[in-house]
Amino acid sequence: MKTYHGSCHCGAVQFEAGIDLSAGTIKCNCTICTKLRFWPAIVKPEHFRLIAGDTELSNYRFNTKTDQHQFCKHCGVHPFVIGNSPRWGVFYGVNISCLDDAPIEELVNAPVTYLDGRNDNWDSPPLEVRHL
Ligand SMILES: [Zn+2]
């Protein structure tokens, strides 16, 4: 596991997170992940630290209203989601596209697990993933 630093686009929100990119990332076809092309790594809360921007974040909740999709009020970028699921418990889904110091080769080599969130089917991948 390495400590990475990340931020939103305007820099109001800054965070660091301990992530093992070689352990895998997520792409999901649910409605919000599709629209955002959200690409998170799942991180335990103790491995995430918000450095700046607590008051600059807003959060969007829908459906069960369980997951807090955090976004910067100024630039609109979604750096992370705070969720709670049977699979992961309370988790941070850190948008690895927001990491400022992750080498490109670590990103392209990070395994991707595809989730069929759109159909609430968490046990097998979606039939089509190329658009995610
Ligand atoms: Zn911002």
Side-chain angles (χ1 to χ4, degrees):
M1 183 181 297
K2 284 171 61 174
T3 299
Y4 296 95
H5 298 85
S7 59
C8 64
H9 190 263
C10 73
V13 178
Q14 306 271 344
F15 65 87
E16 63 181 25
I19 304 172
D20 179 1
L21 285 172
S22 69
T25 62
I26 299 290
K27 289 187 181 178
C28 174
N29 68 352
C30 80
T31 52
I32 191 160
C33 286
T34 297
K35 292 205 173 195
L36 291 171
R37 300 198 87 190
F38 197 58
W39 186 18
I42 304 303
V43 173
K44 293 187 186 307
E46 59 266 33
H47 295 145
F48 182 91
R49 190 166 75 90
L50 188 64
I51 295 170
D54 187 41
T55 57
E56 314 310 318
L57 285 163
S58 187
N59 75 81
Y60 173 61
R61 301 179 189 220
F62 68 101
N63 194 12
T64 63
K65 312 240 191 297
T66 303
D67 297 342
Q68 304 172 44
H69 300 268
Q70 303 280 337
F71 63 94
C72 173
K73 292 177 190 173
H74 306 285
C75 67
V77 165
H78 289 236
F80 59 94
V81 59
I82 305 169
N84 193 346
S85 79
R87 180 184 296 213
W88 300 308
V90 176
F91 68 90
Y92 280 64
V94 176
N95 186 354
I96 67 171
S97 301
C98 287
L99 299 180
D100 295 310
D101 53 5
I104 289 170
E105 68 262 29
E106 289 184 19
L107 296 176
V108 299
N109 289 322
V112 176
T113 296
Y114 291 95
L115 298 179
D116 190 8
R118 186 166 296 239
N119 296 306
D120 205 23
N121 163 28
W122 305 100
D123 298 322
S124 53
L127 295 177
E128 179 57 84
V129 299
R130 290 173 296 179
H131 61 305
L132 299 176

